[in-house]
């Protein structure tokens, strides 16, 4: 089953629906509605129904959505009905926070290795990991068949490390370096830069 | 000068243009074009010209954009021609990384205080800051007239802390807690959840 024709903007909302449904499950809830999801998310109920309808029939008219069922369906659609191994490059403060981040649990991902190029850091521990030499990244990540990387190196090193990641078979990169990276077709990049987010908001300040 | 009618999606691209221009400045460059910006950012040159034209005339036909001039204009538009004081709530790994993040420098923001509710953490240092008791957040942030907060507390505490932030006069919240928060009109929230970003990418995996 592929849904390649679904717009990115729709796919981008599914993780928010899933996150909210998982929160409702934790609250012991069993049934919800597009209205309730919409209120929690600040998205219109009509938008939510339209988004979900692109993937199938998940609710019954008048009875709403079964939370457990819709959760499991969204997990399948987003391919997080399994756990993906993720590597981190860069063992600074950001890499540290990512390597130890408790929020990956039950959401489809786990960090399994951390790399850095600094001889002072290589061999030290972060959480459960020994920091590995970035020189071993390509063979190690290939061997482990890892597809997803989080990039937390300085901006000036980001492109060089990106090239290594691609050589290693990584196809999905979450980039914390505050710079755009160039990747060939078929490689997906998401950017995480708090300053970009803060500037979107400071625009409103006077 | 206000630009309140500009769509959010356009405003959201301006920080990327600014980031790229500042990078070019560091590289010693003086002039660029919408073509070059577009190539670096994976955005079409036409889109960039259209976005920028909503705010004024920044380039001359055939000679491109003066990098220093366009940088300073974007800084004014995004209100980062000054430095905004920012507070952090939550002194865990994420709060730690934010309090010490070097990437705010020259981009319009600086962290000036960090709060936590854990008595074991209060009084300890993070970078240049003593962690303060969250009980003092409202008067302290009010007194300092802070408008921007980064929220790095557990999901279960996020709404309660948000309410305090609003009471303190905060109007812009960058939320790292993996949960949606409810805010009254006039308060802006941006969400930073790496799992949401990873799930957008895992959708493409098989």
């Amino acid at each position: 089953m592929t849904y390649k024709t679904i717009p990115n903007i729709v796919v981008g909302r599914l993780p928010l629906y899933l996150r909210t449904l998982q929160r409702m499950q934790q609250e012991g809830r069993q049934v919800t509605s597009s209205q309730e999801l919409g209120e929690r998310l600040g998205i219109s109920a009509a938008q939510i129904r339209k988004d979900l309808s692109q993937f199938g029939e998940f609710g019954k008219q008048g009875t709403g959505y079964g939370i457990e069922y819709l959760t499991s369906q969204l997990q399948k659609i987003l391919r997080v009905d399994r756990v993906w191994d993720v590597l981190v490059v860069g063992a600074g403060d950001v890499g540290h926070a990512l390597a130890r981040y408790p929020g990956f649990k039950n959401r489809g991902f786990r960090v399994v290795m951390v790399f850095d190029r600094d001889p002072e850091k290589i061999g030290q521990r972060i959480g459960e990991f020994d920091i590995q030499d970035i020189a071993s990244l390509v063979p190690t990540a290939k061997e482990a068949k890892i597809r997803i990387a989080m990039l937390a190196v300085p901006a000036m090193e980001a492109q060089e490390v990106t090239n290594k990641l691609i050589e290693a078979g990584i196809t999905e990169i979450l980039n914390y370096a505050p710079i755009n990276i160039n990747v060939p077709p078929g490689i997906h990049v998401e950017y995480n830069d708090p300053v970009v987010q803060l500037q979107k908001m400071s625009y409103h300040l006077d």
Side-chain angles (χ1 to χ4, degrees), chain A residues 25-206:
Chain A
Q25 270 190 318
Q26 282 174 16
E27 295 166 7
R29 302 278 310 284
Q30 303 201 317
V31 178
T32 186
S33 62
S34 54
Q35 283 75 16
E36 190 191 28
L37 280 169
E39 277 162 30
R40 290 215 189 186
L41 285 164
I43 297 174
S44 78
Q47 181 73 69
I48 293 172
R49 285 194 300 274
K50 193 178 160 201
D51 286 350
L52 294 176
S53 72
Q54 305 219 33
F55 299 93
E57 274 292 332
F58 301 120
K60 283 179 198 148
Q61 190 74 36
T63 62
Y65 298 109
I67 290 173
E68 193 180 325
Y69 178 69
L70 184 52
T71 298
S72 71
Q73 292 302 304
L74 285 175
Q75 286 172 325
K76 269 186 203 148
I77 292 166
L78 293 169
R79 314 288 193 270
V80 289
D81 51 346
R82 50 162 291 181
V83 178
W84 295 94
D85 289 344
V86 178
L87 68 82
V88 173
V89 192
D93 283 331
V94 174
H96 230 91
L98 291 171
R100 293 160 44 106
Y101 185 58
F104 294 124
K105 211 182 162 207
N106 298 322
R107 297 179 72 195
F109 307 95
R110 66 172 175 197
V111 173
V112 295
M113 36 184 97
V114 181
F115 295 89
D116 202 284
R117 68 169 197 178
D118 180 355
E120 302 261 307
K121 287 183 180 164
I122 294 163
Q124 285 193 8
R125 283 188 87 71
I126 293 187
E128 324 162 35
F129 314 104
D130 286 333
I131 299 170
Q132 299 183 61
D133 187 343
I134 199 168
S136 67
L137 188 153
V138 175
T140 307
K142 254 189 191 163
E143 164 90 23
K145 295 188 165 53
I146 295 178
R147 302 285 302 276
I148 307 173
M150 296 193 286
L151 185 56
V153 301
M156 298 312 286
E157 298 167 28
Q159 187 62 53
E160 188 193 327
V161 175
T162 297
N163 299 346
K164 274 195 217 294
L165 291 172
I166 293 167
E167 193 188 336
I170 298 289
T171 57
E172 321 298 319
I173 301 172
L174 178 49
N175 180 19
Y176 281 78
I179 191 168
N180 277 69
I181 52 178
N182 297 311
V183 298
I187 310 292
H188 304 101
V189 182
E190 290 279 326
Y191 290 91
N192 190 311
D193 180 347
V195 179
V196 166
Q197 295 186 294
L198 290 174
Q199 288 181 345
K200 280 188 208 181
M201 295 193 291
S202 61
Y203 172 82
H204 299 287
L205 291 173
D206 42 45

